[in-house]
């Protein structure tokens, strides 16, 4: 079972305690955005086979949203971090580079 | 290589010579340098696309390219439920086209796909579900699809091993499609593969597509683990790996991949001759010809390429089915497996042109595309051959997301199927 540590309350939570929230770091489009950007924001997902930055909610715990970096093939967890982060912290990127040398974050979607 | 015709006579003939004369069902050729159409993915949908390209639309310089073995993806991992009792008209049209083709697919392919229209019932276990299924039954009547809403007594009569009295959710009725059922998944893939090969279409297995080549916005070919191949048109039909291929082609899809699992029990004597889906409690079950109870349930919620799935879903599914069928509580489960399913937001598939010229995609069948294989292959072949989608495929274009024109089936298919 997938286990993620909630960065807020520090609990190592089983996936049954968590609610998945999909791809993280999407640039939020609002009024005035062009249709293509709005469509991409609403629907288009990277859906990578490999490193995925994603949103989770500690639903049956402290209730907070947080971010995780995870490998969708091996289920390796590179770390979790607060949802307020606009970019993944260096510690997470280093953990990923240890498995995937040369890995670079592509930036917000 | 000529293809042996399968018949009772052939079985008798081979019995007299130790079955030495069957030959191979399909060729394993070396890749040519160019094909008019390359189909990526030899699952049911890819093979059916190639088959109807050759058979109905006269295109035979076609290859189907598969990274593993044909039918080894979701096509060989599914629980084989076939039904067409969907709510929305575009879905009803394509699923019913497929169900209709399944009716005589064994004759068409000269391969016994063991289509068994034993009837599918979807249980209503809340007042909300009753209203939903009554609405679907009305919609189906207008679409010309034979379904009916039946009461609990009829449910019990059709499936005596079911506990209709609870404990959590008593059965209040069911949406019943008497001509729904199951088929042999491997045979569907093999039958189409054999038919393709006999028409001169190449099936290239153990050959992974690693890059898509393009020039001035037009697809020109692919790179594979067996070398580069050029093509006039490219059809991407790779289910769970659609995001990976789209990335190679340079666009993104409204699709996310998650694991869906199934399990089968030890074989037991015949005890159930219909397919039952209990969407409220999240589980479904049928009995295979071998006697195994074939069981499925919910998909993982998070992006996942592991072909494995989380244990909690097995627990949830088994709990739901023990409530519904108390007699299975002592059964041992023999095998469990997972497949990577491609989920769209409206739970409807994508059969579409793409931002890359000459490149078409068929994906998003998610947890329920086995039932659609013949219809989807037919509609995809028509679009690839003409360059534009026909009436069956048109509603399923990628443009529906930008236009807010969803084909919402997430209610009709509350559970993985
Ligand atoms: C557990 C489970 C139960 C299900 N139950 C049902 C059911 O009861 N009824 C129903 O209707 N549907 C069901 N489904 C859904 C159904 O199985 C799928 O929708 C359907 O089989 C998809 O077929 P396909 O041909 O699109 O994909 P697949 O059969 O997955 O074929 C895609 C192929 O593409 C290949 N591929 C991927 N990447 C590459 C590459 N780079 N190069 C070359 N080849 C590549 C893969 O190896 C694979 O063979 C179920 C699915 C699962 C997992
Ligand atoms: Zn917490």
């Amino acid at each position: 079972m997938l286990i993620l540590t909630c960065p807020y309350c520090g609990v190592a939570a089983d996936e049954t305690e968590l609610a998945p929230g999909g791809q993280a770091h999407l640039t939020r489009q609002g009024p005035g955005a062009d249709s293509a950007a709005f469509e991409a924001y609403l629907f288009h997902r990277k859906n990578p086979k490999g490193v995925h930055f994603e949103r989770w909610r500690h639903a049956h715990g402290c209730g907070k949203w947080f971010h995780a970096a995870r490998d969708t093939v091996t289920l390796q967890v590179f770390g979790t971090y607060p949802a307020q982060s606009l970019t993944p912290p260096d510690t997470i990127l280093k953990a990923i580079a240890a498995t995937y040398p040369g890995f670079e974050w592509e930036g917000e979607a | 290589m000529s293809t042996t015709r399968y018949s009772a006579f052939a079985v008798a003939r081979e019995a007299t010579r130790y079955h030495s004369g069957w030959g191979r069902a399909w060729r394993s050729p070396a890749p040519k340098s160019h094909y008019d159409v390359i189909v990526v993915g030899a699952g049911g949908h890819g093979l059916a696309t190639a088959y109807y390209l050759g058979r109905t639309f006269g295109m035979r310089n076609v290859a189907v390219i598969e990274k593993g073995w044909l039918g080894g993806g979701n096509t060989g991992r599914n629980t084989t439920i076939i039904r067409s009792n969907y709510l929305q008209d575009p879905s009803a049209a394509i699923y019913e086209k497929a169900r209709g083709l399944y009716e005589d697919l064994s004759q068409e392919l000269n391969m016994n796909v063991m289509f068994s229209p034993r009837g599918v019932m979807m249980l209503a276990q809340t007042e909300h579900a009753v209203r939903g299924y009554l609405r679907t039954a009305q919609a189906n009547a207008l679409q010309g699809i034979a379904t009916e809403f039946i009461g609990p007594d009829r449910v019990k009569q059709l499936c005596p091993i079911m506990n209709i009295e609870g404990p959590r959710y008593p059965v209040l009725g069911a949406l019943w499609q008497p001509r729904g059922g199951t088929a042999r998944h491997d045979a569907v893939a093999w039958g189409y593969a054999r038919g393709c090969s006999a028409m001169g279409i190449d099936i290239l297995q153990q050959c992974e597509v690693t890059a898509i080549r393009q020039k001035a916005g037009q697809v020109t070919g692919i790179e594979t683990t067996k070398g580069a191949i050029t093509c006039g048109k490219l059809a991407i039909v790779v289910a769970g790996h659609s995001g990976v291929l789209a990335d190679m082609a340079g666009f993104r899809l409204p699709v996310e991949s998650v694991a869906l699992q199934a399990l089968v029990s030890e074989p037991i004597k015949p005890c159930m001759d219909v397919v039952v889906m209990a969407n409220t409690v999240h589980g479904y079950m049928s009995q295979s010809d071998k006697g195994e109870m074939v069981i499925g349930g919910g998909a993982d919620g998070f992006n996942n390429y592991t072909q494995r799935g989380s244990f909690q879903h097995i627990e949830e599914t088994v709990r739901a089915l023990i409530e519904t069928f108390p007699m299975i509580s002592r059964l041992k489960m023999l095998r469990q497996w997972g497949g990577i399913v491609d989920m769209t937001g409206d739970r409807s598939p994508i059969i579409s042109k793409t931002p890359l010229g000459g490149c078409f995609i068929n994906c998003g069948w998610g947890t329920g595309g086995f039932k659609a294989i013949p219809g989807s292959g037919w509609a995809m072949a028509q679009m690839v051959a003409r360059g534009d989608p026909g009436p069956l495929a048109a509603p399923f274009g990628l443009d529906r997301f930008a236009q807010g024109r969803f084909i919402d089936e997430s209610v009709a298919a509350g559970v993985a199927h």
Side-chain angles (χ1 to χ4, degrees):
Chain A
M1 188 172 290
L2 186 65
I3 297 171
L4 298 175
T5 302
C6 172
Y8 295 101
C9 65
V11 166
D14 284 356
E15 62 177 278
T16 46
E17 200 173 321
L18 302 166
Q23 188 177 327
H25 301 297
L26 294 172
T27 307
R28 203 181 173 91
Q29 304 287 336
D34 71 75
S35 321
F38 201 70
E39 183 196 0
Y41 160 59
L42 283 179
F43 301 113
H44 293 176
R45 294 295 176 263
K46 200 163 176 245
N47 195 21
K49 187 173 181 178
V51 182
H52 193 227
F53 298 92
E54 57 195 14
R55 284 151 46 82
W56 286 85
R57 184 168 175 254
H58 193 184
H60 298 283
C62 69
K64 294 266 196 294
W65 283 96
F66 65 90
H67 286 174
R70 194 177 53 85
D71 192 316
T72 61
V73 181
T74 60
L75 299 193
Q76 181 181 357
V77 177
F78 300 111
T80 55
Y81 51 102
Q84 286 72 16
S85 326
L86 292 178
T87 54
D90 282 346
T91 47
I92 302 268
L93 295 177
K94 275 201 193 103
I96 298 170
T99 304
Y100 292 105
F103 177 86
E104 272 181 47
W105 191 54
E106 283 179 4
E108 298 194 0
Chain B
M1 185 191 87
S2 70
T3 310
T4 317
R5 218 185 136 67
Y6 298 154
S7 64
F9 171 73
V11 173
R13 184 191 61 220
E14 291 305 322
T16 64
R17 55 179 190 191
Y18 303 100
H19 295 276
S20 58
W22 288 115
R24 291 189 177 270
W26 50 80
R27 298 167 294 117
S28 295
K32 292 189 217 162
S33 61
H34 175 86
Y35 293 95
D36 295 341
V37 178
I38 290 177
V39 178
V40 188
H45 291 260
L47 290 164
T49 300
Y51 179 82
Y52 293 111
L53 272 173
R55 165 92 195 197
T56 312
F57 301 97
M59 299 187 75
R60 309 243 157 132
N61 186 20
V62 173
V64 187
I65 300 197
E66 167 56 51
K67 77 177 157 85
W69 63 97
L70 69 87
N74 295 345
T75 298
R77 294 164 185 268
N78 82 92
T79 47
T80 77
I81 298 176
I82 296 172
R83 60 186 182 89
S84 60
N85 54 354
Y86 284 73
L87 177 64
Q88 310 292 351
D89 291 348
S91 326
I94 195 159
Y95 287 105
E96 178 60 14
K97 166 86 178 175
R99 204 204 56 77
L101 288 169
Y102 265 123
E103 291 265 2
D104 49 17
L105 197 60
S106 295
Q107 288 75 16
E108 166 74 21
L109 298 177
N110 179 230
M111 166 80 92
N112 187 359
V113 304
M114 295 162 78
F115 176 57
S116 162
R118 58 185 69 179
V120 173
M121 66 167 82
M122 294 166 67
L123 302 182
Q125 293 174 282
T126 61
E127 290 298 336
H128 180 83
V130 171
R131 283 198 297 275
Y133 287 145
L134 281 170
R135 182 182 172 205
T136 305
Q138 302 287 359
N140 292 160
L142 292 172
Q143 292 148 352
I145 293 169
T147 66
E148 71 182 291
F149 188 84
I150 56 175
D153 294 348
R154 186 80 201 288
V155 170
K156 184 76 184 169
Q157 190 193 2
L158 285 163
C159 185
I161 66 167
M162 196 190 305
N163 171 23
I164 60 167
E165 259 126 42
R168 285 190 298 163
Y169 294 103
V171 173
L172 306 175
L175 181 64
W176 169 240
Q177 182 170 27
R179 293 301 287 178
T182 59
R184 168 97 199 266
H185 50 17
D186 294 323
V188 173
W190 298 336
Y192 277 120
R194 181 164 163 269
C196 284
S197 182
M199 287 186 285
I201 291 171
D202 288 353
I203 300 165
L204 311 171
Q205 300 184 77
Q206 310 291 342
C207 179
E208 180 168 354
V209 175
T210 53
I212 295 174
R213 288 185 176 172
Q214 49 178 292
K215 203 173 171 187
Q218 197 69 24
V219 69
T220 57
I222 55 171
E223 272 159 51
T224 76
T225 45
K226 291 187 176 171
I229 312 175
T230 61
C231 64
K233 292 174 180 174
L234 184 68
I236 300 174
V237 197
V238 293
H241 281 75
S242 298
V244 177
L245 270 289
D247 194 45
M248 292 178 198
F251 55 89
R252 277 194 189 168
L253 292 168
V255 168
E256 290 190 276
S257 298
V258 301
L260 174 69
Q261 30 186 345
L263 46 159
V264 294
S265 74
E266 58 192 323
I268 54 174
K269 288 265 164 61
C271 63
M272 182 183 181
D273 61 359
V274 293
V275 179
V276 176
M277 303 174 66
N279 295 353
T280 303
V281 294
H282 253 207
Y284 60 84
M285 189 166 89
S286 65
Q287 187 168 23
S288 76
D289 294 342
K290 283 184 280 183
E292 302 156 327
M293 305 314 286
V294 181
I295 289 173
D300 282 356
F302 55 86
N303 294 53
N304 191 339
Y305 283 84
T306 59
Q307 288 192 329
R308 198 165 63 209
S310 298
F311 186 73
Q312 89 210 47
H313 289 294
I314 302 181
E315 216 175 7
E316 179 195 52
T317 304
V318 169
R319 186 173 56 217
L321 292 173
I322 288 175
E323 256 174 59
T324 317
F325 308 99
M327 65 158 273
I328 68 165
S329 67
R330 305 294 169 83
L331 281 184
K332 293 185 188 70
M333 292 300 145
L334 279 191
R335 297 191 303 281
Q336 172 275 349
W337 64 90
I340 302 303
V341 295
D342 38 340
M343 309 293 282
T344 58
D346 59 1
R347 299 293 183 264
S348 284
I350 293 165
I351 309 174
S352 184
K353 297 162 94 165
T354 71
L356 178 61
C359 174
F360 303 84
I361 194 158
N362 180 326
C363 67
W365 293 97
T367 61
F370 174 72
K371 61 178 69 61
I373 285 172
S376 155
W378 197 95
M380 182 73 176
Q382 188 185 43
M383 177 173 67
V384 172
R386 290 178 175 178
D388 272 309
L392 274 182
F396 296 100
L398 275 168
D399 53 359
R400 77 172 186 269
F401 295 92
Q403 295 165 3
R405 193 172 42 73
F406 308 117
I407 304 170
D408 187 357
E409 293 292 357
S410 52
V411 183
V415 76
H417 52 299

